[in-house]
Amino acid sequence: METLYHQTNKQIQEVQSLMGRLENTDRQSVHLLENDLQARIDQIFSHFERLEILAGKEPPNRRQNVKLRVDQLKYDVQHLQTALRNFQHRRYSRETQDREREELMSRTFTTNDADTSIPIDETLQLNSNLNNAHRGMDDLLGSGSSILTGLRDQRDTLKGTHKKMLDVANMLGLSNTVMRLIEKRATQDKFIMIGGMLLTCVVMFLVVKYLG
């Protein structure tokens, strides 16, 4: 369990390091880097099923903590997957804009050209659609960030609850010990009382017999 967990965590750190190189990679090499990152992320996802099975086999007192650690790895790699897709979307948008700009700039017009009008309306519509797409992606990223924050808060809450449960379990264990001691002392006191009553009865009988 620990070996696979640390191996997966190391792979996530490697992906995070490679993600930082995306913005500075040239156009010819960025596709290769994207493919490499996606392959690494897919490999990490393939580990989670095995990790969850191993976490379920942990002792009860460690199982909840181990599952929380596995869930944290899963959230981290899901965040990396989202970041990679957002980068690819931005790259596709830039390439589309650059290509259309080059086509527009390379277009030539002659005095006898029947169609000398520039499709401004189509360009404006395309630009509007791209802006809407960017706003949609920003909203999606904001929602994803809020969800991630909420999941992390839930993880902290679960950790606090788990700790309280362990404290209560320890307190219950102590209470059970105290109750057993009290019951044992009560039984001893009962025998002492009965013995004292019998001894008192014997003494009273002897006094009455020999002094009466």
PDB file of all heavy atoms in Angstrom, residues 4-32:
ATOM      1  N   LEU A   4       2.926   1.729  -3.347  1.00  0.00           N
ATOM      2  CA  LEU A   4       2.120   2.219  -4.465  1.00  0.00           C
ATOM      3  C   LEU A   4       1.676   3.661  -4.229  1.00  0.00           C
ATOM      4  O   LEU A   4       1.632   4.469  -5.171  1.00  0.00           O
ATOM      5  CB  LEU A   4       0.895   1.324  -4.656  1.00  0.00           C
ATOM      6  CG  LEU A   4      -0.012   1.657  -5.853  1.00  0.00           C
ATOM      7  CD1 LEU A   4       0.772   1.602  -7.155  1.00  0.00           C
ATOM      8  CD2 LEU A   4      -1.194   0.702  -5.908  1.00  0.00           C
ATOM      9  N   TYR A   5       1.380   3.997  -2.977  1.00  0.00           N
ATOM     10  CA  TYR A   5       0.959   5.377  -2.654  1.00  0.00           C
ATOM     11  C   TYR A   5       2.093   6.356  -2.959  1.00  0.00           C
ATOM     12  O   TYR A   5       1.880   7.383  -3.617  1.00  0.00           O
ATOM     13  CB  TYR A   5       0.567   5.463  -1.183  1.00  0.00           C
ATOM     14  CG  TYR A   5       0.300   6.879  -0.722  1.00  0.00           C
ATOM     15  CD1 TYR A   5      -0.943   7.473  -0.904  1.00  0.00           C
ATOM     16  CD2 TYR A   5       1.306   7.633  -0.106  1.00  0.00           C
ATOM     17  CE1 TYR A   5      -1.190   8.767  -0.488  1.00  0.00           C
ATOM     18  CE2 TYR A   5       1.066   8.931   0.306  1.00  0.00           C
ATOM     19  CZ  TYR A   5      -0.182   9.486   0.123  1.00  0.00           C
ATOM     20  OH  TYR A   5      -0.413  10.784   0.528  1.00  0.00           O
ATOM     21  N   HIS A   6       3.287   6.053  -2.490  1.00  0.00           N
ATOM     22  CA  HIS A   6       4.421   6.965  -2.717  1.00  0.00           C
ATOM     23  C   HIS A   6       4.793   7.021  -4.204  1.00  0.00           C
ATOM     24  O   HIS A   6       5.194   8.082  -4.703  1.00  0.00           O
ATOM     25  CB  HIS A   6       5.621   6.525  -1.879  1.00  0.00           C
ATOM     26  CG  HIS A   6       5.442   6.738  -0.409  1.00  0.00           C
ATOM     27  ND1 HIS A   6       5.243   7.986   0.149  1.00  0.00           N
ATOM     28  CD2 HIS A   6       5.395   5.868   0.628  1.00  0.00           C
ATOM     29  CE1 HIS A   6       5.116   7.886   1.451  1.00  0.00           C
ATOM     30  NE2 HIS A   6       5.185   6.608   1.765  1.00  0.00           N
ATOM     31  N   GLN A   7       4.674   5.895  -4.903  1.00  0.00           N
ATOM     32  CA  GLN A   7       4.956   5.895  -6.347  1.00  0.00           C
ATOM     33  C   GLN A   7       3.967   6.802  -7.092  1.00  0.00           C
ATOM     34  O   GLN A   7       4.361   7.593  -7.960  1.00  0.00           O
ATOM     35  CB  GLN A   7       4.860   4.474  -6.886  1.00  0.00           C
ATOM     36  CG  GLN A   7       5.093   4.367  -8.389  1.00  0.00           C
ATOM     37  CD  GLN A   7       4.885   2.952  -8.902  1.00  0.00           C
ATOM     38  OE1 GLN A   7       4.672   2.026  -8.129  1.00  0.00           O
ATOM     39  NE2 GLN A   7       4.945   2.782 -10.209  1.00  0.00           N
ATOM     40  N   THR A   8       2.685   6.702  -6.724  1.00  0.00           N
ATOM     41  CA  THR A   8       1.663   7.541  -7.366  1.00  0.00           C
ATOM     42  C   THR A   8       1.884   9.014  -7.041  1.00  0.00           C
ATOM     43  O   THR A   8       1.770   9.881  -7.907  1.00  0.00           O
ATOM     44  CB  THR A   8       0.260   7.108  -6.897  1.00  0.00           C
ATOM     45  OG1 THR A   8       0.084   5.707  -7.159  1.00  0.00           O
ATOM     46  CG2 THR A   8      -0.816   7.897  -7.626  1.00  0.00           C
ATOM     47  N   ASN A   9       2.213   9.296  -5.783  1.00  0.00           N
ATOM     48  CA  ASN A   9       2.465  10.682  -5.382  1.00  0.00           C
ATOM     49  C   ASN A   9       3.664  11.261  -6.131  1.00  0.00           C
ATOM     50  O   ASN A   9       3.648  12.432  -6.552  1.00  0.00           O
ATOM     51  CB  ASN A   9       2.699  10.739  -3.873  1.00  0.00           C
ATOM     52  CG  ASN A   9       2.773  12.159  -3.352  1.00  0.00           C
ATOM     53  OD1 ASN A   9       2.077  13.056  -3.826  1.00  0.00           O
ATOM     54  ND2 ASN A   9       3.626  12.392  -2.384  1.00  0.00           N
ATOM     55  N   LYS A  10       4.686  10.452  -6.330  1.00  0.00           N
ATOM     56  CA  LYS A  10       5.867  10.907  -7.078  1.00  0.00           C
ATOM     57  C   LYS A  10       5.504  11.208  -8.535  1.00  0.00           C
ATOM     58  O   LYS A  10       5.962  12.207  -9.108  1.00  0.00           O
ATOM     59  CB  LYS A  10       6.957   9.826  -7.020  1.00  0.00           C
ATOM     60  CG  LYS A  10       8.232  10.227  -7.740  1.00  0.00           C
ATOM     61  CD  LYS A  10       9.280   9.126  -7.639  1.00  0.00           C
ATOM     62  CE  LYS A  10      10.552   9.521  -8.387  1.00  0.00           C
ATOM     63  NZ  LYS A  10      11.579   8.446  -8.313  1.00  0.00           N
ATOM     64  N   GLN A  11       4.664  10.359  -9.135  1.00  0.00           N
ATOM     65  CA  GLN A  11       4.242  10.599 -10.520  1.00  0.00           C
ATOM     66  C   GLN A  11       3.434  11.894 -10.633  1.00  0.00           C
ATOM     67  O   GLN A  11       3.568  12.627 -11.614  1.00  0.00           O
ATOM     68  CB  GLN A  11       3.413   9.413 -11.010  1.00  0.00           C
ATOM     69  CG  GLN A  11       4.223   8.156 -11.228  1.00  0.00           C
ATOM     70  CD  GLN A  11       3.354   6.974 -11.621  1.00  0.00           C
ATOM     71  OE1 GLN A  11       2.200   6.896 -11.251  1.00  0.00           O
ATOM     72  NE2 GLN A  11       3.920   6.039 -12.366  1.00  0.00           N
ATOM     73  N   ILE A  12       2.599  12.179  -9.642  1.00  0.00           N
ATOM     74  CA  ILE A  12       1.828  13.424  -9.656  1.00  0.00           C
ATOM     75  C   ILE A  12       2.765  14.625  -9.587  1.00  0.00           C
ATOM     76  O   ILE A  12       2.574  15.622 -10.304  1.00  0.00           O
ATOM     77  CB  ILE A  12       0.830  13.441  -8.479  1.00  0.00           C
ATOM     78  CG1 ILE A  12      -0.266  12.398  -8.720  1.00  0.00           C
ATOM     79  CG2 ILE A  12       0.201  14.827  -8.305  1.00  0.00           C
ATOM     80  CD1 ILE A  12      -1.243  12.269  -7.568  1.00  0.00           C
ATOM     81  N   GLN A  13       3.791  14.549  -8.756  1.00  0.00           N
ATOM     82  CA  GLN A  13       4.752  15.648  -8.667  1.00  0.00           C
ATOM     83  C   GLN A  13       5.493  15.839  -9.983  1.00  0.00           C
ATOM     84  O   GLN A  13       5.776  16.978 -10.385  1.00  0.00           O
ATOM     85  CB  GLN A  13       5.731  15.369  -7.526  1.00  0.00           C
ATOM     86  CG  GLN A  13       5.082  15.405  -6.138  1.00  0.00           C
ATOM     87  CD  GLN A  13       6.052  15.033  -5.045  1.00  0.00           C
ATOM     88  OE1 GLN A  13       7.205  14.677  -5.306  1.00  0.00           O
ATOM     89  NE2 GLN A  13       5.603  15.103  -3.806  1.00  0.00           N
ATOM     90  N   GLU A  14       5.808  14.747 -10.664  1.00  0.00           N
ATOM     91  CA  GLU A  14       6.483  14.855 -11.965  1.00  0.00           C
ATOM     92  C   GLU A  14       5.569  15.531 -12.991  1.00  0.00           C
ATOM     93  O   GLU A  14       6.023  16.369 -13.785  1.00  0.00           O
ATOM     94  CB  GLU A  14       6.880  13.462 -12.450  1.00  0.00           C
ATOM     95  CG  GLU A  14       7.997  12.821 -11.614  1.00  0.00           C
ATOM     96  CD  GLU A  14       8.279  11.394 -12.047  1.00  0.00           C
ATOM     97  OE1 GLU A  14       7.494  10.854 -12.875  1.00  0.00           O
ATOM     98  OE2 GLU A  14       9.263  10.801 -11.560  1.00  0.00           O
ATOM     99  N   VAL A  15       4.283  15.179 -12.978  1.00  0.00           N
ATOM    100  CA  VAL A  15       3.340  15.817 -13.901  1.00  0.00           C
ATOM    101  C   VAL A  15       3.222  17.307 -13.597  1.00  0.00           C
ATOM    102  O   VAL A  15       3.185  18.143 -14.505  1.00  0.00           O
ATOM    103  CB  VAL A  15       1.958  15.127 -13.807  1.00  0.00           C
ATOM    104  CG1 VAL A  15       0.913  15.909 -14.600  1.00  0.00           C
ATOM    105  CG2 VAL A  15       2.050  13.706 -14.340  1.00  0.00           C
ATOM    106  N   GLN A  16       3.166  17.662 -12.315  1.00  0.00           N
ATOM    107  CA  GLN A  16       3.098  19.067 -11.935  1.00  0.00           C
ATOM    108  C   GLN A  16       4.316  19.835 -12.446  1.00  0.00           C
ATOM    109  O   GLN A  16       4.198  20.973 -12.910  1.00  0.00           O
ATOM    110  CB  GLN A  16       2.988  19.186 -10.414  1.00  0.00           C
ATOM    111  CG  GLN A  16       1.652  18.719  -9.852  1.00  0.00           C
ATOM    112  CD  GLN A  16       1.633  18.709  -8.344  1.00  0.00           C
ATOM    113  OE1 GLN A  16       2.676  18.626  -7.692  1.00  0.00           O
ATOM    114  NE2 GLN A  16       0.455  18.776  -7.762  1.00  0.00           N
ATOM    115  N   SER A  17       5.478  19.197 -12.359  1.00  0.00           N
ATOM    116  CA  SER A  17       6.694  19.852 -12.845  1.00  0.00           C
ATOM    117  C   SER A  17       6.650  20.043 -14.363  1.00  0.00           C
ATOM    118  O   SER A  17       7.029  21.108 -14.872  1.00  0.00           O
ATOM    119  CB  SER A  17       7.918  19.011 -12.455  1.00  0.00           C
ATOM    120  OG  SER A  17       9.106  19.581 -12.959  1.00  0.00           O
ATOM    121  N   LEU A  18       6.161  19.036 -15.093  1.00  0.00           N
ATOM    122  CA  LEU A  18       6.076  19.148 -16.552  1.00  0.00           C
ATOM    123  C   LEU A  18       5.024  20.152 -16.983  1.00  0.00           C
ATOM    124  O   LEU A  18       5.175  20.812 -18.024  1.00  0.00           O
ATOM    125  CB  LEU A  18       5.770  17.776 -17.157  1.00  0.00           C
ATOM    126  CG  LEU A  18       6.893  16.727 -17.078  1.00  0.00           C
ATOM    127  CD1 LEU A  18       6.399  15.385 -17.592  1.00  0.00           C
ATOM    128  CD2 LEU A  18       8.112  17.176 -17.873  1.00  0.00           C
ATOM    129  N   MET A  19       3.945  20.298 -16.188  1.00  0.00           N
ATOM    130  CA  MET A  19       2.904  21.260 -16.533  1.00  0.00           C
ATOM    131  C   MET A  19       3.460  22.682 -16.594  1.00  0.00           C
ATOM    132  O   MET A  19       3.007  23.509 -17.384  1.00  0.00           O
ATOM    133  CB  MET A  19       1.775  21.189 -15.505  1.00  0.00           C
ATOM    134  CG  MET A  19       0.921  19.937 -15.592  1.00  0.00           C
ATOM    135  SD  MET A  19      -0.181  19.899 -17.014  1.00  0.00           S
ATOM    136  CE  MET A  19      -1.312  21.196 -16.573  1.00  0.00           C
ATOM    137  N   GLY A  20       4.458  22.966 -15.772  1.00  0.00           N
ATOM    138  CA  GLY A  20       5.041  24.297 -15.776  1.00  0.00           C
ATOM    139  C   GLY A  20       5.817  24.612 -17.043  1.00  0.00           C
ATOM    140  O   GLY A  20       6.137  25.778 -17.309  1.00  0.00           O
ATOM    141  N   ARG A  21       6.124  23.592 -17.857  1.00  0.00           N
ATOM    142  CA  ARG A  21       6.896  23.806 -19.089  1.00  0.00           C
ATOM    143  C   ARG A  21       6.005  24.024 -20.302  1.00  0.00           C
ATOM    144  O   ARG A  21       6.513  24.330 -21.392  1.00  0.00           O
ATOM    145  CB  ARG A  21       7.802  22.594 -19.334  1.00  0.00           C
ATOM    146  CG  ARG A  21       8.861  22.389 -18.266  1.00  0.00           C
ATOM    147  CD  ARG A  21       9.509  21.027 -18.365  1.00  0.00           C
ATOM    148  NE  ARG A  21       9.926  20.714 -19.734  1.00  0.00           N
ATOM    149  CZ  ARG A  21      10.380  19.519 -20.106  1.00  0.00           C
ATOM    150  NH1 ARG A  21      10.480  18.542 -19.226  1.00  0.00           N
ATOM    151  NH2 ARG A  21      10.737  19.317 -21.367  1.00  0.00           N
ATOM    152  N   LEU A  22       4.684  23.853 -20.132  1.00  0.00           N
ATOM    153  CA  LEU A  22       3.798  23.947 -21.290  1.00  0.00           C
ATOM    154  C   LEU A  22       3.840  25.319 -21.951  1.00  0.00           C
ATOM    155  O   LEU A  22       3.912  25.424 -23.176  1.00  0.00           O
ATOM    156  CB  LEU A  22       2.356  23.616 -20.869  1.00  0.00           C
ATOM    157  CG  LEU A  22       2.009  22.133 -20.738  1.00  0.00           C
ATOM    158  CD1 LEU A  22       0.620  21.964 -20.152  1.00  0.00           C
ATOM    159  CD2 LEU A  22       2.100  21.437 -22.094  1.00  0.00           C
ATOM    160  N   GLU A  23       3.751  26.380 -21.127  1.00  0.00           N
ATOM    161  CA  GLU A  23       3.667  27.731 -21.677  1.00  0.00           C
ATOM    162  C   GLU A  23       4.918  28.125 -22.445  1.00  0.00           C
ATOM    163  O   GLU A  23       4.859  28.952 -23.352  1.00  0.00           O
ATOM    164  CB  GLU A  23       3.411  28.740 -20.545  1.00  0.00           C
ATOM    165  CG  GLU A  23       2.076  28.570 -19.828  1.00  0.00           C
ATOM    166  CD  GLU A  23       0.889  28.915 -20.719  1.00  0.00           C
ATOM    167  OE1 GLU A  23       1.095  29.543 -21.788  1.00  0.00           O
ATOM    168  OE2 GLU A  23      -0.239  28.559 -20.358  1.00  0.00           O
ATOM    169  N   ASN A  24       6.074  27.535 -22.094  1.00  0.00           N
ATOM    170  CA  ASN A  24       7.335  27.927 -22.724  1.00  0.00           C
ATOM    171  C   ASN A  24       7.771  26.964 -23.824  1.00  0.00           C
ATOM    172  O   ASN A  24       8.859  27.125 -24.385  1.00  0.00           O
ATOM    173  CB  ASN A  24       8.441  28.007 -21.660  1.00  0.00           C
ATOM    174  CG  ASN A  24       8.138  29.045 -20.598  1.00  0.00           C
ATOM    175  OD1 ASN A  24       7.558  30.088 -20.886  1.00  0.00           O
ATOM    176  ND2 ASN A  24       8.514  28.761 -19.356  1.00  0.00           N
ATOM    177  N   THR A  25       6.946  25.989 -24.145  1.00  0.00           N
ATOM    178  CA  THR A  25       7.303  25.009 -25.176  1.00  0.00           C
ATOM    179  C   THR A  25       6.864  25.521 -26.552  1.00  0.00           C
ATOM    180  O   THR A  25       5.778  26.086 -26.698  1.00  0.00           O
ATOM    181  CB  THR A  25       6.625  23.658 -24.889  1.00  0.00           C
ATOM    182  OG1 THR A  25       6.999  23.227 -23.574  1.00  0.00           O
ATOM    183  CG2 THR A  25       7.045  22.616 -25.901  1.00  0.00           C
ATOM    184  N   ASP A  26       7.705  25.326 -27.548  1.00  0.00           N
ATOM    185  CA  ASP A  26       7.376  25.816 -28.896  1.00  0.00           C
ATOM    186  C   ASP A  26       6.253  24.985 -29.507  1.00  0.00           C
ATOM    187  O   ASP A  26       5.922  23.893 -29.035  1.00  0.00           O
ATOM    188  CB  ASP A  26       8.621  25.756 -29.793  1.00  0.00           C
ATOM    189  CG  ASP A  26       9.198  24.352 -29.864  1.00  0.00           C
ATOM    190  OD1 ASP A  26       8.656  23.525 -30.612  1.00  0.00           O
ATOM    191  OD2 ASP A  26      10.190  24.088 -29.135  1.00  0.00           O
ATOM    192  N   ARG A  27       5.671  25.518 -30.578  1.00  0.00           N
ATOM    193  CA  ARG A  27       4.515  24.883 -31.201  1.00  0.00           C
ATOM    194  C   ARG A  27       4.818  23.485 -31.715  1.00  0.00           C
ATOM    195  O   ARG A  27       3.951  22.604 -31.703  1.00  0.00           O
ATOM    196  CB  ARG A  27       3.993  25.739 -32.354  1.00  0.00           C
ATOM    197  CG  ARG A  27       3.337  27.040 -31.912  1.00  0.00           C
ATOM    198  CD  ARG A  27       2.721  27.730 -33.111  1.00  0.00           C
ATOM    199  NE  ARG A  27       2.008  28.946 -32.719  1.00  0.00           N
ATOM    200  CZ  ARG A  27       1.329  29.707 -33.572  1.00  0.00           C
ATOM    201  NH1 ARG A  27       1.278  29.380 -34.856  1.00  0.00           N
ATOM    202  NH2 ARG A  27       0.711  30.792 -33.142  1.00  0.00           N
ATOM    203  N   GLN A  28       6.015  23.277 -32.190  1.00  0.00           N
ATOM    204  CA  GLN A  28       6.347  21.980 -32.760  1.00  0.00           C
ATOM    205  C   GLN A  28       6.439  20.889 -31.693  1.00  0.00           C
ATOM    206  O   GLN A  28       6.209  19.713 -31.980  1.00  0.00           O
ATOM    207  CB  GLN A  28       7.693  22.050 -33.528  1.00  0.00           C
ATOM    208  CG  GLN A  28       7.641  22.833 -34.826  1.00  0.00           C
ATOM    209  CD  GLN A  28       7.558  24.338 -34.609  1.00  0.00           C
ATOM    210  OE1 GLN A  28       7.880  24.818 -33.522  1.00  0.00           O
ATOM    211  NE2 GLN A  28       7.121  25.067 -35.634  1.00  0.00           N
ATOM    212  N   SER A  29       6.798  21.271 -30.476  1.00  0.00           N
ATOM    213  CA  SER A  29       7.018  20.278 -29.415  1.00  0.00           C
ATOM    214  C   SER A  29       5.878  20.197 -28.409  1.00  0.00           C
ATOM    215  O   SER A  29       5.821  19.256 -27.624  1.00  0.00           O
ATOM    216  CB  SER A  29       8.320  20.600 -28.655  1.00  0.00           C
ATOM    217  OG  SER A  29       9.413  20.644 -29.540  1.00  0.00           O
ATOM    218  N   VAL A  30       4.967  21.182 -28.418  1.00  0.00           N
ATOM    219  CA  VAL A  30       3.941  21.211 -27.392  1.00  0.00           C
ATOM    220  C   VAL A  30       3.002  20.011 -27.499  1.00  0.00           C
ATOM    221  O   VAL A  30       2.508  19.493 -26.484  1.00  0.00           O
ATOM    222  CB  VAL A  30       3.149  22.542 -27.462  1.00  0.00           C
ATOM    223  CG1 VAL A  30       2.289  22.602 -28.721  1.00  0.00           C
ATOM    224  CG2 VAL A  30       2.283  22.718 -26.217  1.00  0.00           C
ATOM    225  N   HIS A  31       2.750  19.525 -28.726  1.00  0.00           N
ATOM    226  CA  HIS A  31       1.873  18.364 -28.895  1.00  0.00           C
ATOM    227  C   HIS A  31       2.484  17.124 -28.231  1.00  0.00           C
ATOM    228  O   HIS A  31       1.782  16.345 -27.581  1.00  0.00           O
ATOM    229  CB  HIS A  31       1.624  18.094 -30.373  1.00  0.00           C
ATOM    230  CG  HIS A  31       0.969  19.232 -31.092  1.00  0.00           C
ATOM    231  ND1 HIS A  31      -0.375  19.506 -30.966  1.00  0.00           N
ATOM    232  CD2 HIS A  31       1.464  20.177 -31.939  1.00  0.00           C
ATOM    233  CE1 HIS A  31      -0.687  20.553 -31.705  1.00  0.00           C
ATOM    234  NE2 HIS A  31       0.419  20.981 -32.311  1.00  0.00           N
ATOM    235  N   LEU A  32       3.788  16.951 -28.399  1.00  0.00           N
ATOM    236  CA  LEU A  32       4.454  15.802 -27.788  1.00  0.00           C
ATOM    237  C   LEU A  32       4.390  15.880 -26.270  1.00  0.00           C
ATOM    238  O   LEU A  32       4.149  14.869 -25.594  1.00  0.00           O
ATOM    239  CB  LEU A  32       5.922  15.752 -28.251  1.00  0.00           C
ATOM    240  CG  LEU A  32       6.147  15.557 -29.761  1.00  0.00           C
ATOM    241  CD1 LEU A  32       7.635  15.616 -30.078  1.00  0.00           C
ATOM    242  CD2 LEU A  32       5.556  14.233 -30.226  1.00  0.00           C
TER     243      LEU A  32
END
